[in-house]
Amino acid sequence: MQLKEELIESHTIYRGRVVTLRIDTVRLPSGRTARREIVEHRGAVAIVPLLNPETVLLIRQYRQAVGETLLEIPAGTLEPDESPDVCARRELEEETGYAARQLRKLFSQYLAPGYSQEVLHVYLAEDLAPVAQRLDEDEAVELVPTPLQAVEAMVLEGQIKDSKTIAGLLMTLRLLEGERK
Amino acid sequence: MQLKEELIESHTIYRGRVVTLRIDTVRLPSGRTARREIVEHRGAVAIVPLLNPETVLLIRQYRQAVGETLLEIPAGTLEPDESPDVCARRELEEETGYAARQLRKLFSQYLAPGYSQEVLHVYLAEDLAPVAQRLDEDEAVELVPTPLQAVEAMVLEGQIKDSKTIAGLLMTLRLLEGERK
């Protein structure tokens, strides 16, 4: 089946600091044309930091887009030309004050491919060593060590509701349980 | 710790069909001000449809925002005033041609709370009965029945890279394995 859409024209509405909004006109497989509203984004990383095999270090921060504080795994946007691995180590140290002696890539995911270009690379960080926490001047973040075995119930009960955090934690649970078998 | 940001002013840059872009100026806990680029969105649902206890029905569709076809669980945006339960049944029937005799809500998640308001409600659909598939005229979608036991490897190998699909499938695996114990 022909699924691909063909780009006819593209124009940028707004160039922001985090996101850029553009409108694409595409030709559909049916032959008709359609408009697609697209959010451009540089990409990001997120890190599941294990303090020990039973405890994950989450962070709590306010998110103006949704008007509430959320419990999340540490994450951050790629700097221009920064590799995801380097970004993962940098964000982990800045946000939590820990460096990872072991860092492994788990998977990459598109967060909202219906309209957003953003790809997010998810890492598992183990064997952590304390370093100085270096939050950006305006970053207000609370560290929340959390039992790994509690996270599934926390998702089902609505205490964890950030998608990258849910996917990263559930994959970590499956991998660790598989390795312990 | 004070985490909340206080809204000072807000203005809309662009009102689209799927997304609206606005810029908020906020006062940070530190007392300084900052600008937040925010994508407004009506919210959406996604459904994990089980054809039988071992097989999930995925769909493949082209996503212009990321420039490739993706393997996803069925999903769609809430109509104005539509409840998530009603939307989940509607989208499942329209996109797959199946109605669910059993539909249970799993969890809700914010897809990209750093800049997007979008909340997505995730459902598990079981005991499916065929009805007529009713795709929108311009929707091109391929149905892909997939062994549930293969999905973890498909995420790690990059064959499944949509965040709602990853979170929904991993939670389904955990729930079904818990129920079979």
Side-chain angles (χ1 to χ4, degrees):
Chain A
M1 190 192 286
Q2 170 62 25
L3 298 174
K4 197 169 178 326
E5 301 171 1
E6 183 198 339
L7 181 65
I8 299 173
E9 63 168 1
S10 183
H11 73 278
T12 296
I13 301 282
Y14 180 83
R15 271 183 216 285
R17 193 175 57 85
V18 177
V19 301
T20 287
L21 181 65
R22 74 167 205 259
I23 310 293
D24 284 359
T25 305
V26 295
R27 188 172 321 281
L28 304 174
S30 67
R32 289 157 51 104
T33 59
R35 282 157 57 91
R36 303 282 183 229
E37 298 153 6
I38 293 175
V39 171
E40 298 180 3
H41 188 284
R42 273 207 300 274
V45 303
I47 310 99
V48 178
L50 293 185
L51 283 173
N52 59 53
E54 281 79 40
T55 312
V56 59
L57 184 57
L58 299 181
I59 64 176
R60 184 178 289 284
Q61 61 186 325
Y62 184 74
R63 295 298 203 172
Q64 175 66 16
V66 300
E68 51 183 304
T69 60
L70 296 182
L71 213 45
E72 303 179 27
I73 53 176
T77 303
L78 291 167
E79 299 290 346
D81 299 319
E82 188 178 38
S83 81
D85 288 32
V86 169
C87 183
R89 292 187 180 278
R90 178 178 60 72
E91 289 288 348
L92 178 66
E93 295 190 19
E94 287 177 7
E95 294 200 336
T96 70
Y98 284 94
R101 294 200 192 89
Q102 273 198 62
L103 184 74
R104 53 172 152 159
K105 168 88 179 285
L106 296 182
F107 58 90
S108 297
Q109 60 180 357
Y110 293 117
L111 292 186
Y115 57 89
S116 173
Q117 198 180 61
E118 182 178 6
V119 62
L120 177 107
H121 309 283
V122 183
Y123 290 82
L124 180 61
E126 293 170 285
D127 203 353
L128 303 183
V131 294
Q133 191 182 11
R134 303 186 309 271
L135 288 175
D136 289 347
E137 176 173 15
D138 292 326
E139 238 171 340
V141 160
E142 213 168 68
L143 298 179
V144 184
T146 304
L148 202 47
Q149 285 309 319
V151 301
E152 182 178 329
M154 291 170 79
V155 173
L156 295 173
E157 290 161 9
Q159 294 161 269
I160 295 177
K161 34 190 179 177
D162 168 55
S163 78
K164 67 179 174 298
T165 303
I166 296 172
L169 290 175
L170 292 181
M171 183 59 90
T172 297
L173 278 173
R174 290 192 63 84
L175 290 176
L176 294 182
E177 288 170 6
E179 286 168 13
R180 281 168 199 167
K181 267 177 196 157
Chain B
M1 190 193 285
Q2 170 62 24
L3 298 174
K4 196 170 179 323
E5 300 170 1
E6 183 198 339
L7 181 64
I8 298 172
E9 64 169 1
S10 184
H11 72 279
T12 296
I13 301 283
Y14 180 82
R15 269 183 219 288
R17 194 176 56 85
V18 177
V19 302
T20 287
L21 180 66
R22 73 166 206 260
I23 310 293
D24 284 359
T25 305
V26 296
R27 188 173 320 281
L28 303 174
S30 66
R32 289 158 50 104
T33 60
R35 283 157 59 92
R36 302 283 183 228
E37 298 153 6
I38 293 174
V39 171
E40 298 180 5
H41 188 284
R42 274 207 299 276
V45 304
I47 310 101
V48 179
L50 293 185
L51 283 174
N52 58 53
E54 281 78 40
T55 312
V56 60
L57 184 57
L58 300 182
I59 64 177
R60 183 179 290 283
Q61 61 186 324
Y62 183 75
R63 295 299 203 171
Q64 174 66 16
V66 301
E68 50 183 304
T69 60
L70 296 183
L71 212 46
E72 303 181 26
I73 53 176
T77 303
L78 292 168
E79 299 291 344
D81 299 320
E82 187 178 39
S83 82
D85 289 31
V86 169
C87 183
R89 291 187 180 279
R90 178 177 60 73
E91 289 287 349
L92 178 65
E93 296 190 18
E94 288 177 6
E95 295 199 335
T96 70
Y98 283 94
R101 293 198 192 89
Q102 272 198 65
L103 185 75
R104 53 172 152 161
K105 167 89 180 283
L106 295 182
F107 57 90
S108 297
Q109 59 181 357
Y110 293 117
L111 292 186
Y115 57 89
S116 173
Q117 201 180 59
E118 181 178 7
V119 62
L120 176 106
H121 310 284
V122 184
Y123 289 82
L124 180 61
E126 292 171 285
D127 203 354
L128 303 184
V131 292
Q133 192 182 10
R134 302 188 310 271
L135 288 175
D136 290 347
E137 179 174 12
D138 292 325
E139 239 171 337
V141 160
E142 211 167 68
L143 299 179
V144 185
T146 304
L148 203 47
Q149 286 310 318
V151 300
E152 182 177 329
M154 291 172 79
V155 173
L156 295 173
E157 290 160 11
Q159 295 162 268
I160 295 176
K161 33 190 179 177
D162 168 56
S163 78
K164 65 178 174 301
T165 302
I166 296 172
L169 290 176
L170 293 180
M171 183 59 91
T172 297
L173 279 174
R174 291 194 62 83
L175 289 177
L176 294 183
E177 287 172 7
E179 286 168 11
R180 281 167 200 168
K181 266 177 196 158

